[in-house]
Amino acid sequence: MRDSTNEVLRAIATNGPISRAQLARDLGLSGPTLTQATKILIKSGLVKELQQTPSTGGRPATQLGLAAAAGQIIGVKLAPDHVTGVCVNLDSEILWSFDEPFEAQGNAAIKELTLLLKKQAKKVNGQLIGIGVGLPGVVAPGDEGITDSVIFDWKGINVGEQLSLALEVPVLLENDVNTLSITESLYGRGRDISNFLTITLGRGIGLGIVINGELYNGSHGAGEFGHVNAVKNGEMCECGKKGCLETIAGDPAILSKAIALGLVPKNSSIEKVRVAARGNKQISAKIFKEPAEAFGIAIANLINILGPELLLISGEGSEGWDLWKPWVEAALQSHVVETMKDFEIEIDPWDDRKWALGATAIVIQASFSRSGAVGKNPQDIKKRLQVVNRNH
Ligand SMILES: [Zn+2]
């Protein structure tokens, strides 16, 4: 049997505040079924009615939103040398944020992270419902949050389980490009777009895939875009394969090439490479033509397969997009099939807090997941929500 109540709750949690009419349309539910479901939710204290006067005047429209203002969620984005985090209420309003140094490599990393999160959790005024963590790596489905991250040198570590036990609060993990995609899908540019791609440039090259408004996660994860092949028998990649896109288009590869060609001094930063390229068309072509063309062709392949409406380009490397753009656009022009050419490319300004906000959304979404029981953690979150609402 279809669990309409849970479905309605999930839709309010992820898209609300929302009207009953919109809910009925979005979920394809009949009037009586919807009324019954919202009645149960309002009675349980999870959902409340909000009066909103339309800006055009006229009758106030009643909208439904989550009721639990006392419940809070922490979301963090882990980077190799720091952690950025936000604390939100159930309406996803950011209450406060933080930025702390963190050494992701080495044996002490999980312990350091635990202490850091403990300190933040103490700042929560009210009930902490859960913590979402976005990180550059692959997270296996399941409560243990088993994580592999080449960048952090983490191999099969049960990060979720360790953090949940130490912090005594559910901790859910997700790939960081996916958390950014979730943010865009719920609150950002992708809110009204069914099919879009988020592509990140920088040390690695990442991809978040939203299809029919839902993050696509494959059966074994998805979006290993940095590891599509770009060069036959090319350089060895961190992943153990040869000639991956990252080996020519990741920031470290671009930097090494610029140094090897003598275009910038040794020990330069990627920013120095950009400055040199911006002032000189020849240097720009020498450094950026090859990686940007390979990147453009790889994106064209994606577009031909998935037919998205929008491509969001983000990540720290997107600050150099002006240098990539002409080559990428030429490659797309040459390789995207005619019927798929109706898409836009936008630069999504780099902001770690946005990624952290997506990590809070995985906690909200997990607790309202369609199956209702993805594992022990979402169940724990649900219980916490109900406690919050009883006390509220
Ligand atoms: Zn690779």
Side-chain angles (χ1 to χ4, degrees):
M1 197 189 82
R2 195 174 168 188
D3 182 1
S4 324
T5 312
N6 207 38
E7 250 181 88
V8 171
L9 182 58
R10 179 174 182 266
I12 295 171
T14 52
N15 299 322
I18 186 165
S19 69
R20 284 187 173 80
Q22 188 64 44
L23 277 171
R25 274 198 294 278
D26 287 357
L27 301 174
L29 293 173
S30 71
T33 309
L34 185 73
T35 307
Q36 182 59 21
T38 53
K39 214 182 241 173
I40 294 170
L41 290 170
I42 290 169
K43 205 174 163 208
S44 75
L46 276 171
V47 165
K48 65 178 174 190
E49 289 189 319
L50 312 161
Q51 295 293 335
Q52 293 209 340
T53 310
S55 55
T56 49
R59 257 179 6 129
T62 303
Q63 303 219 302
L64 299 170
L66 285 183
Q72 291 173 20
I73 297 161
I74 290 177
V76 297
K77 169 181 164 43
L78 305 186
D81 59 354
H82 71 278
V83 176
T84 302
V86 295
C87 177
V88 301
N89 60 20
L90 284 180
D91 292 324
S92 296
E93 278 174 314
I94 297 178
L95 304 171
W96 42 269
S97 58
F98 62 91
D99 211 15
E100 294 263 348
F102 166 64
E103 186 51 63
Q105 287 208 353
N107 295 332
I110 306 299
K111 204 175 163 198
E112 193 190 337
L113 183 60
T114 308
L115 292 174
L116 193 155
L117 290 174
K118 240 180 204 165
K119 191 174 105 188
Q120 299 302 328
K122 279 196 183 135
K123 283 161 57 184
V124 172
N125 183 13
Q127 168 90 46
L128 179 61
I129 295 199
I131 299 178
V133 178
L135 80 172
V138 180
V139 182
D143 290 332
E144 295 86 5
I146 294 174
T147 303
D148 285 282
S149 170
V150 176
I151 293 177
F152 289 179
D153 199 20
W154 293 2
K155 292 188 194 84
I157 305 181
N158 59 338
V159 186
E161 189 171 44
Q162 289 190 42
L163 291 175
S164 297
L165 285 172
L167 293 159
E168 296 175 334
V169 60
V171 180
L172 305 182
L173 282 85
E174 179 59 274
N175 169 274
D176 58 359
V177 183
N178 283 347
T179 68
L180 177 63
S181 299
I182 291 168
T183 301
E184 291 303 338
S185 167
L186 294 178
Y187 319 110
R189 187 60 183 82
R191 181 155 179 158
D192 301 316
I193 294 177
S194 301
N195 304 301
F196 72 94
L197 306 173
T198 306
I199 299 171
T200 57
L201 280 171
R203 188 186 182 284
I205 295 177
L207 168 69
I209 305 166
V210 171
I211 297 176
N212 293 331
E214 298 268 354
L215 185 72
Y216 177 75
N217 238 333
S219 295
H220 312 284
E224 290 294 333
F225 190 47
H227 303 285
V228 297
N229 187 267
V231 184
K232 197 176 172 191
N233 292 323
E235 297 275 321
M236 184 61 89
C237 180
E238 295 182 320
C239 74
K241 310 288 173 200
K242 282 182 179 172
C244 295
L245 184 58
E246 269 178 24
T247 66
I248 56 165
D251 278 351
I254 292 170
L255 182 58
S256 320
K257 188 167 84 174
I259 291 169
L261 291 172
L263 300 170
V264 292
K266 270 187 191 168
N267 300 323
S268 291
S269 65
I270 188 74
E271 188 44 39
K272 195 143 203 173
V273 176
R274 288 179 198 142
V275 172
R278 281 191 184 111
N280 185 313
K281 273 203 168 147
Q282 260 181 334
I283 291 183
S284 169
K286 266 190 191 158
I287 301 175
F288 285 96
K289 184 172 186 276
E290 189 198 16
E293 277 181 352
F295 180 68
I297 290 170
I299 296 182
N301 291 339
L302 266 182
I303 293 172
N304 288 343
I305 295 166
L306 296 171
E309 268 177 74
L310 176 69
L311 262 72
L312 289 169
I313 309 282
S314 189
E316 72 267 29
S318 66
E319 282 163 17
W321 182 245
D322 54 314
L323 297 157
W324 293 72
K325 195 177 169 217
W327 314 107
V328 173
E329 283 181 347
L332 292 176
Q333 191 59 34
S334 311
H335 297 287
V336 174
V337 295
E338 275 315 310
T339 49
M340 301 280 190
K341 278 191 169 161
D342 191 12
F343 62 85
E344 283 182 49
I345 299 181
E346 281 184 26
I347 299 301
D348 186 27
W350 170 249
D351 178 358
D352 273 349
R353 290 198 315 165
K354 243 189 217 177
W355 303 55
L357 181 61
T360 68
I362 60 173
V363 176
I364 296 182
Q365 284 195 320
S367 49
F368 302 113
S369 68
R370 203 160 270 165
S371 62
V374 194
K376 191 173 147 285
N377 261 324
Q379 289 298 347
D380 285 353
I381 293 168
K382 255 184 192 164
K383 268 185 222 145
R384 280 167 177 261
L385 269 173
Q386 275 150 20
V387 170
V388 167
N389 277 282
R390 267 201 295 275
N391 296 338
H392 194 51

